[in-house]
Amino acid sequence: MAFAERMLKIDRRIIFLVIGLCTLLPLLYPVGLPIKISPEVRSVYDYMESLPERSVFLLSIDFDPASKPELHPQAIALLRHAFRKDLRVVAMTLWVSGTGMADQLLTQVAKEMGKENGKDYVFLGWSPGGTAVIINMGQDLYTAFPSDYGGKPTKGIPVLEGVHSLKDVAYAISLGAGNPGVEAWYVFGKDKYKFELGGGCTGVIAPGLYPLLRSGQINGLIGGLRGAAEYESLIGQKGRAVAGMDAQSATHAAIIVLVAICNIFYFSLRSMARG
Amino acid sequence: MIFLRRQLPLLITMITGLLFAGQYYVPHPASELLLTSATKWLQIIGGFALVLGVTSLFHQHAAKIRRKEAGWGYSLVLYAGMLVTIAVGIWASGKESIDGAMTLFGWIYSFMMVPLQGTMFAILAFYIASAAYRSFRARSREAAVLLIAAVIVMMGRVPLGEYLVPLSGDVSQWILNVLNASVRRAILIGVSLGAIALSFKIIFGVERSYLGGSKE
Amino acid sequence: MDATVLGAWVATGLTLFIFSFLYKDNPLFKLAEHLYVGVSVGYTIVKAYDTVIVHLIIKPIFEQGQISLLIPVAIGLLMLTRYMPKAAWMSRYAFAFIVGLGSGLAIPRTISSFILKQVEDTVRPLLSQAGEGVTFSMSLLNPASNLNAIIILIGVSSVLFYFFFSIEHSGPGKVVARTGIVFLMIAFGAAFGYTVMARMSLLIGRLTDLIEFSDASYGHPTLWLLIVTVAALVLLARRRQQEPPAAP
Amino acid sequence: MSILKKTSSCVLPLLKHSTYYDSGSRSLRPCVRTRTLLNILWIHVWVLLSLLPGTFSIVFAQSTLTVPSDLQAMDTPNDGGESLTVLWAPSPLDGPDGRYQVLFGEASATDPTALKVIAEFPANTRYVKEAKSAWWTRKVERTWHQYVIRNGKGIEMKNGTAYTVTVAMRKGEEQAIGPLIQATPSPDWFNWNQFNNLILALGFGGLVFYTISHAKRNNIFLRRIPGLDAVDEAIGRATELGKPILYLTGAHDMSDPSTIAAAVILGRVAKRTAAYETELMVPHRDPITMAVCQEITKQAYLEAGKPDLFKEDSNFFITADQFSYTAAVDGIMLRKRPAANFFMGSYFAESLLLTETGASTGAIQIAGTDSDHQLPFFVTTCDYTLIGEELYAASAYLSKEPVQIGTLRGQDIGKAVILTVVMVGTVLATIAVATGAQWPQLFLDLFRDLK
């Protein structure tokens, strides 16, 4: 058996170990390489900056724990920014298994920034129906969510004063891990009810959202952990995403090296077979 | 009977389909009211649909336990996990936290569901690495193009890549914003045409597989 | 023991059980996997009950007298007849309603968002106005430049052409289709890179949690449970060796 | 399309209760109602007075300002009501230092001082061309000014109630107030801005049904899908090596089109394996799909003239669970070492686990999926991949079912139309920029998303 062939047949658990170490070591011993800001993340940040105080900011947390590592840091960075700008935050989720996480992260950031439930923010919770919820909120927010997460009637909550439907939202961001997510918020929400929409998403679906970004259907896009790291650097509060960037660098380097080795062996085997 | 079983459902589909396709073009408050109530209804029906999805799982594992098939013990674990979650969930009236204090339901969510679901997908990272070494080969010219683009994007999206090859950031940005966006746009248009054709076929009863039991 | 500390132990243990699949499929993984399905199904049921039954049905009907909501409840109940062989056909009404509504809502909105909007953005002048005259902007980095408008135009048209099935890909068509496939592969490459990034992020997230839970304040659960998991795997492997091999 | 324009400008005002008052130069439209004739009279007197400098107190000093000319106020067309639109002609004084004010009040207000300023903006902003509108609903030139008054921020309008509106020009301390005009907001029954959307929907829907019925009567050409040649080759090689073939139908059930396509292609594969007498293995994740595929396989063996070779257990159910299924199939690949693996239908995260194991056993691998998130992995780990719609096309090609073929044909025509629009549109848009011509807009507007 040729060397290349033998090398290709090594136990894959060795590769597992390599990738595990590439992740673990930079997390334990961070280097802190600088992060460049991409225009699509910056436009989300700039739009948030341009909003006047007490504007209504809707954050739809459309992911479940499976995408937590990517989207949770995005949500935290966005909430910190919104609270710092003193926006009125309305949070919700279209993904049932994301409810607990959304509640937790909202409470945590609000506590950290000294914000009060009902006065500065409200968590509407989850409602089934996906796109139907979006349409219904566009028509009348109070029929879509008769009560907030805590069971309080939404009518009369101070933070929702003057808010009847999605038309009264100044900026909405959907942090989506799939469907319903950013696309649904455009098709069933922004398209008709005319609020500005931004998107945050996992790396897997980010490339698919670029046509919407190009055509201005969403005004910005935060993609994956990298996007979260960019946003964390923009607001100057580094968190989990920035901390993970070194590990991300190391694993990408590892994958690139592995792909290169794979192809070197592949081509050497092929030329041997021909020769 | 055939009318009730076959024609009437098709008629319902056609009427609701046409009604709500037409609704889009009518800005009058009456039409908006129709949309509001229908979506409100959909929200409620959506809840029942969830139950439907869950029921089939219920049946499957119940059968496994009844017949004592191989691995029925795991099905028992599944049941236990589900029943305990339901019990504590109803006890906490469906809230993970009440006034900031974590309930038992919230505990199960944070310390069982979140790590389990997160890890299920994290193991894929290892498989990508192993596949990168063993099977991501440039078997054809097309696959070679794919791999080169992938390597550029992987470099351009992490600080190390941008540090080593400063150009990689801009190039990957261009690939995503221009090349990728154009392809995705073409795919989006193609898929949308397919979706519209399917919707029309459903509304006019040409496509009926959603009714189940296509043989009847 | 504090609830959070206990939680840290449980979370760490379950995480390691799932990771043990990397070594090989084993009972610990199967246990965690089934527990995962059970817990998430239970969670969904509780949420559906609380949100739908309590807040969307019972409260509005009994407290506000919205009797009309009984209609969707009836439709929803019809859906559940699917599991009763004799009455299963009644579930068709529910599906007919949902699918009809969904299709109706989709048609105009898909045309608006995914066809007109996308066509509108692809149709761009290949020259741009600069002061009095017209110029051709060459910047690759500005996605709105004329050069990029041409590239996007070529990409969109060639990929659309590639998915033509009623024309043979021969002659000039072959060139266009080949261009389409190159564009497709580049986009798949970008998706590939992004997916790698996403999966690695998930791993980073899980390991960050494990590192957090290896802290002394929790009593080093990561360390202890790692030892337990490995020991269990070794034990299981031993027992399997002693058993006769199962028939394939 | 000119008919379209006519209907939109004439029928629409009839549908609603809006009233147009042109302040002089433009003649009254034929559809204007006469019920508020008195008001018009009054306004005309008022306009005359206000135009005489110094005679009316509102115009300050010896003004260089002119009142906004050709002012029109009306119910906002094509909307759900509770909104008014004000239009007025551009003025030579429009510049960044001048400002326009929109004044609004109850119908009873007869004096500009009773009106409230609800908006103020630089005089070189708020043009008709900035608002997205199409030529078939536009009533005035694109260079005119336009302001839409909506409910909210201290404005509370009710449908069917008249309100008084006007526009004033302001420059420093000077102010020139236009004539007071009454208008009544009302809801509309059709949004003419979306007329192109409706036409496209009806056109494409009609096209699909036409092509389906056409396909039922005629033979429609579909190009051969190259992936299908690869399928035959792979089966041939498996036969040479005397090894089995593994075929997967994906994660979804029979209600998913991709699974149906996978089942159709299975029919073809089974026919070949029957002819070559090669072993076929089809592990399933869904019991109903398994039952359907069993029938398909049986039929294929019958058609190949080898019904005795058909084995009931070549289709078998493993489990519905994603990772357990994957582990089991990986096990089969390692033990039985099939010479060809087929992955058709819909796949999720398990795709890589499957194809990687398959690649390591040296099998020829052919995939076909519409799960675009998994396509990159299939392309790099498989020898041939049917991408997205190619899967459906392959299935239509094999099944020869008119509905499938007709739909495919309809979509093809749809794509051709879009391709043409994009090409022609780009040329016209370029001409418009190069020559400054307006007429290309007549075509371009037809394919814009308007609300």
Side-chain angles (χ1 to χ4, degrees), chain A residues 44-56:
Chain A
V44 174
Y45 175 83
D46 288 346
Y47 197 81
M48 290 279 276
E49 276 293 302
S50 73
L51 291 174
E53 263 179 37
R54 302 301 286 169
S55 309
V56 180

Side-chain angles (χ1 to χ4, degrees), chain D residues 119-140:
Chain D
E120 187 177 327
F121 42 87
N124 57 351
T125 56
R126 310 260 181 187
Y127 289 106
V128 171
K129 63 183 171 211
E130 291 164 19
K132 281 188 109 188
S133 65
W135 49 262
W136 60 88
T137 53
R138 207 177 294 137
K139 297 190 173 65
V140 293

Side-chain angles (χ1 to χ4, degrees), chain C residues 19-46:
Chain C
F19 274 139
S20 72
F21 183 70
L22 293 173
Y23 173 70
K24 65 199 267 188
D25 198 5
N26 66 76
L28 292 183
F29 169 76
K30 283 213 181 92
L31 184 84
E33 192 199 9
H34 282 79
L35 194 62
Y36 156 55
V37 178
V39 169
S40 48
V41 166
Y43 185 83
T44 310
I45 293 176
V46 170

